[in-house]
Amino acid sequence: MSNGRWYPGAAPAVAADWARQLLAFPRTVDTIPSWMWDIFRSDGVTPPIYNPEFASVDWNNRRRPVTERGTDFTVEPTVIDPSLEPGVFAKISKKLFGA
């Protein structure tokens, strides 16, 4: 509102809200805006990331296929073996934690 307060019942979106959005409609590491990364960092959340190599969204060590309409929730997620994919997780870590 004009006085700087939130409208009744409104609140700023937290990292969990943005993570749900990115899980449904994934983006690559480079296409997530910096302000969204700031929200994830402040809440200590690793966001779901679109992996174009596998046409999937990767999150919480799980992988789900992505179609032209978004993430396919009809398919059970598969477990990711990080030892086989160091480049993907290194990019996420660097973007999220600056390491």
Side-chain angles (χ1 to χ4, degrees):
M1 297 188 306
S2 61
N3 63 4
R5 293 184 177 189
W6 294 97
Y7 287 101
V14 295
D17 295 334
W18 290 113
R20 280 192 295 276
Q21 288 293 319
L22 288 178
L23 184 59
F25 306 103
R27 295 180 177 209
T28 61
V29 171
D30 299 331
T31 58
I32 296 175
S34 61
W35 60 266
M36 199 179 287
W37 279 110
D38 293 339
I39 292 171
F40 289 127
R41 279 188 207 99
S42 69
D43 287 354
V45 173
T46 303
I49 302 293
Y50 176 67
N51 184 342
E53 185 177 341
F54 295 104
S56 67
V57 63
D58 302 344
W59 190 39
N60 287 344
N61 202 36
R62 301 281 188 268
R63 173 173 286 142
R64 285 187 184 265
V66 174
T67 67
E68 65 278 351
R69 302 186 80 182
T71 302
D72 185 359
F73 291 102
T74 63
V75 177
E76 286 296 316
T78 58
V79 176
I80 298 171
D81 183 356
S83 66
L84 300 175
E85 306 175 33
V88 173
F89 290 96
K91 283 187 216 175
I92 295 170
S93 177
K94 183 175 182 181
K95 186 73 173 179
L96 189 59
F97 302 109

